[in-house]
Amino acid sequence: MQQFDKLINYEVISPLIREGFERLPHALLFAGPSGVGKRDLAENLALALLCEAITTKNHACGQCAACRWMATGTHPDFRRITLDEAVSDESVTEASAGEAAVEKTADKTKKSKSRNIGIDQIRALEDFVFVGSHRSARRVILISEAELMTIAAANSLLKILEEPPASVYFILITNNQKNLLPTLRSRARVILFPHPDHPTATQWLSQAGLDDKAARYLARAGGAPMRVLQWKKNDQLAAIDALVDSLASSITDPLVLASRWEALLKSKNDKPFLMEDLVEGIQCWLFDLALAQATGEVHYHVGWPQPSHVKSPDPHLLLKAWRDINTFRRNARHPLNPLLFLESLAIHYLRALKPAA
Ligand SMILES: [Zn+2]
């Protein structure tokens, strides 16, 4: 576990923590764009709240029973509510239809991931919140993607927040606080997480092992350092490099381009580079081509190879391709035929590079 105060954007919550936890609000809402460190700080705050041998700087000790349980995900006074645990209504019906137990187990793998955090997940917290704690006095509930709670779930949470026991802390995380119920927002102390400034984030990433490549990956991630760190952890940096190489190359045959992209998607690591990552990368590239045409600057590819072979592309064509590729992005999760999908993508991309007539 990293030192709490070495995390990116720590200064956003440090005023709350410096004083100790006695005056910490019982419901916190961490809001801001993705990739700026909300989750890391929330996890570390939860850890510090539960640690049984907190340091003088309010860091978790990393060694007590509570810290060890948190490390293995088994602390009895900690609950995590995420979309991953949510099961879509459809599959609940399937599972309760009374099939043989064996069939149910087989069925589990088919269950679709829900798009929402459901009321059952929140109701399941009631016992946890209103029955006493197992260890220290405190209990912590971390809710990720809080904006994806259904209205019923959010209302159920509101009820709990009306009279929370003194020792219970809720940390809600959202990338899109506008989609949260306003009543819920008003019940929580909203902590806004900005994009950290460029020099700070670059330095932070350099120290996290990105070295002299920190600045360019940060640009490619739209200024979100945690996103870069995720790419590094997932071993996806090489795929990102290779995608930019392919886009900056002078390949004009869509089949050749598509087969290069196909190779990127076939890496064998645990967190492969996905079709949607690829489509997003192409969109960022097209965005920059259009921006460069209009202003002479780029946003996502500062410090990356530039496409020397593209001579004065037509801005209208670029924008049209950018929009067309938006529809590809929607279908990128489950293309019927991945290679055909890539070829069509390559055709759209190459068409955008034609010089203005
Ligand atoms: Zn500890």
Side-chain angles (χ1 to χ4, degrees), residues 51-54 60-64 66-67:
C51 172
E52 292 167 7
I54 193 93
C61 75
Q63 284 159 24
C64 69
C67 284

Side-chain angles (χ1 to χ4, degrees), residues 266-323:
K266 283 189 171 162
S267 76
K268 287 198 181 64
N269 73 31
D270 290 346
K271 302 267 185 186
F273 195 65
L274 300 173
M275 188 73 87
E276 47 217 278
D277 301 324
L278 186 124
V279 175
E280 190 217 354
I282 296 171
Q283 273 196 304
C284 290
W285 181 259
L286 283 171
F287 178 90
D288 272 355
L289 286 179
L291 189 67
Q293 185 77 347
T295 68
E297 288 178 10
V298 289
H299 178 70
Y300 295 106
H301 295 87
V302 180
W304 289 83
Q306 298 302 313
S308 52
H309 65 290
V310 183
K311 300 275 183 273
S312 323
D314 182 336
H316 297 293
L317 283 179
L318 284 175
L319 273 178
K320 183 177 181 310
W322 188 85
R323 271 191 228 115

Side-chain angles (χ1 to χ4, degrees), residues 53-99:
I54 193 93
T55 70
T56 47
K57 281 177 152 183
N58 289 321
H59 292 161
C61 75
Q63 284 159 24
C64 69
C67 284
R68 288 202 304 272
W69 278 333
M70 286 296 276
T72 54
T74 53
H75 199 300
D77 292 329
F78 179 65
R79 289 285 183 283
R80 188 194 300 278
I81 306 285
T82 66
L83 202 53
D84 296 337
E85 291 156 5
V87 173
S88 76
D89 292 344
E90 203 182 332
S91 28
V92 170
T93 326
E94 275 171 27
S96 54
E99 301 126 357

